[in-house]
Amino acid sequence: MQYKRILLKLSGEALMGERDYGIDPKRLKEYALEIKQVVEKGVEVAIVIGGGNIFRGVSGAANGMDRVQGDHMGMLATCINGLALQSALEDEGVYTRMQTALEIKEVAEPYIKRKAIRHLEKGRVVIFGAGTGNPYFTTDTAAVLRAIEIDADAILKGTRVDGIYNDDPEKNKDAIKFETITFKDVINKGLKVMDMTAFTLSEENKLPIIVFDMNKQGNLIKLVSGEPIGTIVDH
Ligand code: GTP
């Protein structure tokens, strides 16, 4: 395996599958099976999941809600998704632990870096909920932060497009995909990979970002095995 310890970032919206809202059990099961494959190969997997299928703080703020209140709701949404994913993984026989950045200790363990690492070493998938625990930060930033803290080899950002293009591939058919790109080129070309806070945190800490299509069966295991799937952002 090319990667021994990964941080997988999943979007909340992806959990909707074909639905307009909430969680699609079919999609959840598909993700659990993809993750199981890499765990069985001995790869240590940590996961950060978004909450956009349930609530987005930014959208709440746009509709007049206090931003901090909205972000708190968004953080709780990530916990709901985390619990759903934990359940789906356990249904497939994968050992998991969930840790949250906000304390809801009757529901999940509080985030403790050393404990998270021990869980990973024991082959448990660790799901990090509640983002960074702070408003004004995205789950991408939480994913990068946790990836750095647990010393992951890379952050794998699962999206519905299969990499980074020079233009929006959903709007421009002639858009060209990059196999690899440097952090500097992403900035110089004005490409959007993550929000700037997440992106610069990753760059400063030399954490490679891999953007790939998580909805294509087998992509995750291929990527982790070293096949050229998606786009790698590196120095
Ligand atoms: P080790 O024994 O250290 O390998 O890890 P472990 O997670 O199995 O040990 P622990 O005894 O800490 O946890 C046993 C179970 O309780 C696991 O399912 C944990 O996720 C869960 N657990 C531990 N701490 C908390 C907590 O603060 N809140 C909640 N809700 N569950 C917890």
Side-chain angles (χ1 to χ4, degrees):
M1 293 288 121
Q2 165 111 13
Y3 300 101
K4 293 190 173 57
R5 179 177 291 168
I6 59 166
L7 186 305
L8 178 63
K9 163 72 200 334
L10 299 174
S11 83
E13 281 92 346
L15 287 192
M16 293 192 293
E18 303 299 312
R19 300 179 177 206
D20 299 328
Y21 176 83
I23 300 169
D24 175 7
K26 188 167 153 274
R27 173 59 57 80
L28 205 53
K29 184 177 171 124
E30 285 164 4
Y31 278 6
L33 290 170
E34 296 294 303
I35 294 162
K36 182 181 184 177
Q37 284 185 342
V38 296
V39 173
E40 282 177 340
K41 292 284 181 193
V43 177
E44 295 176 9
V45 181
I47 300 174
V48 168
I49 188 158
N53 54 324
I54 300 170
F55 194 84
R56 281 183 167 281
V58 179
S59 320
N63 293 326
M65 182 185 278
D66 176 67
R67 171 72 192 265
V68 176
Q69 185 87 344
D71 281 344
H72 284 156
M73 291 169 70
M75 285 182 230
L76 294 176
T78 71
C79 294
I80 294 175
N81 285 337
L83 288 169
L85 188 60
Q86 178 172 42
S87 193
L89 285 164
E90 287 181 344
D91 284 348
E92 301 307 326
V94 178
Y95 293 105
T96 67
R97 294 289 185 267
M98 179 154 154
Q99 296 195 340
T100 56
L102 294 174
E103 236 186 70
I104 37 171
K105 62 180 176 5
E106 289 75 10
V107 176
E109 296 177 22
Y111 172 65
I112 298 168
K113 176 198 141 161
R114 286 168 187 271
K115 210 164 155 68
I117 289 174
R118 284 300 289 146
H119 288 324
L120 291 169
E121 287 169 350
K122 289 176 183 175
R124 299 164 182 155
V125 171
V126 181
I127 302 166
F128 296 120
T132 67
N134 297 292
Y136 296 99
F137 290 94
T138 61
T139 43
D140 274 351
T141 301
V144 173
L145 176 65
R146 293 294 181 246
I148 296 164
E149 285 184 280
I150 64 167
D151 200 20
D153 300 322
I155 173 162
L156 277 50
K157 184 174 156 95
T159 63
R160 57 202 168 106
V161 286
D162 63 348
I164 301 168
Y165 287 74
N166 63 350
D167 198 5
D168 185 346
E170 291 181 341
K171 290 184 188 139
N172 177 2
K173 280 202 182 71
D174 300 323
I176 298 162
K177 188 180 131 189
F178 299 100
E179 299 293 317
T180 61
I181 187 164
T182 62
F183 282 95
K184 290 225 162 14
D185 276 348
V186 167
I187 292 170
N188 291 340
K189 292 178 196 295
L191 303 171
K192 193 153 179 352
V193 176
M194 288 178 172
D195 63 274
M196 279 315 270
T197 310
F199 191 77
T200 52
L201 188 63
S202 204
E203 181 183 20
E204 280 168 10
N205 291 280
K206 300 193 167 37
L207 175 75
I209 303 170
I210 304 161
V211 178
F212 76 108
D213 181 359
M214 178 69 191
N215 298 336
K216 190 160 176 218
Q217 229 182 338
N219 258 1
L220 181 62
I221 183 83
K222 283 184 194 158
L223 197 170
V224 172
S225 314
E227 283 188 44
I229 299 289
T231 301
I232 303 182
V233 186
D234 212 339
H235 280 84

